[in-house]
Amino acid sequence: MLGCSGVQAWSSKQVADWLREQGFSAYVDLLCTQHRVDGTSLLCLTEHDLRSPPLQLPLLGDIKRLALALRKLQRQHSPSHTPSTDFRANGSKYCYRNDRFVTAVMEQHCHGYSNGKYKHRWSQLEPEGWKTILSLVYVTLVFGITSFVMVLVHERVPDMHTYPPLPDIFLDSVPRIPWAFVMAEACALALGYILLLVLLLHKHRSILFRRLCSLMGSVFLLRCVTMFVTSLSVPGNHLQCSGKMYGDIWSKLLRALEIWVRMGMSMTGMHTCGDYMFSGHTVVLTMLNFFITECEYAFFLFQNLE
């Protein structure tokens, strides 16, 4: 029995002999003459290759039988001294687990080609800093737009006497906790620091950061549209909110800049009206929590140890 390196050294004539031995003489001309399949390329063939152009075998039975013969050949000529072996040929990678052949088609596991385009492994992803910078600029602009929309919304806060707070069975039955709002902001800050630590320790921090910026920016942009179009009543009688006119456009811009610098948080001394029912705190808490809890820590750990 030839070793794996022996199969790779096969010429097209030897591949043709193997095809005849397996009963596929009808495809010798197609594979070996027209497409010059040698031993190395034979080890790379998959059922998908047999089905797709330029081979595109016409008979399903032949496709299945030839695919089975290829898998058997690849399994027989894989290294047997280890239960888990990776074999690469022409950029394609095959994984052997407990003497069972698996063609790894998932990008995160193996190199491969899809529609003629080379796929990178996760460990070889490029940081593409320009995308990260673009995402950062995007989310910064959105936060600026959000601050300005909050100023416009504050001018149109519905009168509490005409439009009282909406009834709420739960909130109307539970005593108000004065420090709950500040605690929510403290939780958001804590989650932000945790996420910052994750980003600093992760090898693909640039990719994670730009995804966070893109998602956060898109959600806040949609929040701006909803907040501007719909004016809702103040959520509770404990909030002393009323419409406030800021004068000319420069006064509004200065107020928006102040909101942007202080991040719209009461912890920084910022109090706004009109946007409570469109909670930005909820957006931030949810987004940060998902980015922290949905990370595959085991995968990240092993990737960083490589």
Side-chain angles (χ1 to χ4, degrees), residues 41 44-57 94:
S41 53
C44 297
L45 280 179
T46 64
E47 184 175 335
H48 177 74
D49 296 327
L50 301 177
R51 291 175 176 271
S52 306
L55 297 180
Q56 205 167 5
L57 303 190
Y94 301 97

Side-chain angles (χ1 to χ4, degrees), residues 65-136:
R65 283 188 291 272
L66 182 52
L68 182 63
L70 286 171
R71 288 197 295 269
K72 183 178 180 181
L73 177 70
Q74 292 155 349
R75 182 173 61 248
Q76 288 176 344
H77 293 284
S78 66
S80 58
H81 61 278
T82 173
S84 176
T85 305
D86 295 333
F87 168 72
R88 292 184 178 85
N90 285 352
S92 297
K93 181 178 176 182
Y94 301 97
C95 305
Y96 298 89
R97 297 291 183 267
N98 298 324
D99 199 33
R100 178 182 177 185
F101 175 80
V102 179
T103 303
V105 296
M106 296 302 291
E107 174 183 2
Q108 62 267 38
H109 297 304
C110 297
H111 293 287
Y113 289 84
S114 176
N115 296 326
K117 296 181 178 180
Y118 181 71
K119 289 185 176 181
H120 293 281
R121 296 183 65 190
W122 282 3
S123 60
Q124 296 177 341
L125 291 176
E126 298 296 331
E128 296 179 305
W130 68 270
K131 290 185 178 180
T132 304
I133 295 175
L134 188 62
S135 299
L136 181 60

